[in-house]
């Protein structure tokens, strides 16, 4: 896959999730700004709990990867992906991190 297509797909997927998140989550959150309640709503039944736990642990795996590659491969600004992994979500944070990885490393590797 050409690099331009790869980057475009990452932008579309990460941005698409961010837009979907904004459309689905922000209106009810603005009406009732209960962030703890919004978080707890992800655990209303065993199925929702499984998806919520998966998203949380995916963010943890992403965090380990970002910290590791910051030192081993010279990937900079990974913290941006971790912040975006919290809101709007891991899909956007992961896409941004993969885009960051396509930039040249600061020490000339990768």
């Amino acid at each position: 896959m050409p690099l331009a297509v790869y980057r475009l797909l990452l932008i579309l997927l990460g941005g698409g999730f961010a837009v979907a998140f904004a459309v689905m989550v922000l209106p009810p959150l603005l009406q009732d700004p209960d962030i703890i309640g919004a978080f707890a709503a992800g655990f209303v039944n065993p199925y929702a709990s499984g998806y919520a736990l998966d998203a949380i642990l995916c963010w943890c795996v992403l965090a380990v990867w970002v910290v590791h590659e910051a030192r081993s491969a010279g990937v900079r600004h990974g913290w941006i992906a971790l912040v975006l992994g919290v809101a709007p979500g891991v899909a956007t944070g992961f896409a941004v991190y993969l885009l960051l990885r396509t930039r040249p490393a600061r020490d000339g590797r990768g």
Side-chain angles (χ1 to χ4, degrees), residues 23-109:
V23 168
M24 290 188 288
V25 174
L26 289 182
L29 191 59
L30 291 174
Q31 287 180 349
D32 180 20
D34 179 13
I35 293 176
I36 303 295
F39 177 79
F43 296 90
V44 295
N45 63 51
Y47 306 109
S49 297
Y51 284 113
L53 186 59
D54 179 59
I56 292 166
L57 291 179
C58 282
W59 183 90
C60 292
V61 170
L62 178 63
V64 169
W65 189 15
V66 165
V67 170
H68 170 73
E69 284 200 342
R71 295 179 184 215
S72 68
V75 178
R76 299 182 319 183
H77 308 298
W79 63 270
I80 296 169
L82 296 180
V83 171
L84 291 172
V86 172
V90 179
T92 299
F94 185 39
V96 166
Y97 185 70
L98 290 175
L99 288 168
L100 289 173
R101 290 182 82 235
T102 64
R103 297 185 340 189
R106 65 175 168 233
D107 63 0
R109 291 183 289 167

